[in-house]
Amino acid sequence: MTIDTIKELIQAALVLEELIVKVDGSQASITAVSEEFADLSRVKKQQLVYAPLREIIASGELHAVSIKTYTPTEWQREKKLAMLS
């Protein structure tokens, strides 16, 4: 499973301002930034990102997925906090 494949699947399903995908073997770490996440619960946000990956997860190509979701405002705040650390 390649980073590009994962990105293509997610970007085909969501309108994102930023998407960061890291893959280590069959495990993926995904950070997605979208205005679509505003007013959604954390679970609903993760479900939106997870949904386009169901087939490759079911096939075993992708075993574990870690998902972090942010609105653009939350993402800007997160990046500023990371720079201060």
Side-chain angles (χ1 to χ4, degrees):
M1 180 53 41
T2 68
I3 291 172
D4 288 338
T5 302
I6 294 170
K7 282 185 172 184
E8 287 171 14
L9 289 169
I10 296 170
Q11 288 172 329
L14 299 168
V15 176
L16 298 170
E17 291 196 16
E18 194 161 346
L19 178 61
I20 301 167
V21 177
K22 297 177 183 173
V23 175
D24 182 13
S26 63
Q27 300 179 12
S29 173
I30 299 166
T31 301
V33 181
S34 176
E35 197 59 52
E36 289 185 48
F37 299 141
D39 302 321
L40 295 178
S41 71
R42 192 174 91 184
V43 171
K44 291 286 184 195
K45 293 175 189 180
Q46 291 186 348
Q47 287 173 338
L48 284 176
V49 177
Y50 183 85
L53 304 176
R54 284 189 181 142
E55 192 173 302
I56 59 173
I57 292 169
S59 74
E61 285 182 78
L62 194 57
H63 177 70
V65 180
S66 168
I67 300 171
K68 293 182 181 177
T69 58
Y70 300 95
T71 63
T73 303
E74 292 168 339
W75 182 237
Q76 292 303 318
R77 186 173 56 236
E78 182 72 17
K79 289 196 298 187
K80 284 180 185 175
L81 289 174
M83 289 189 326
L84 294 174
S85 312

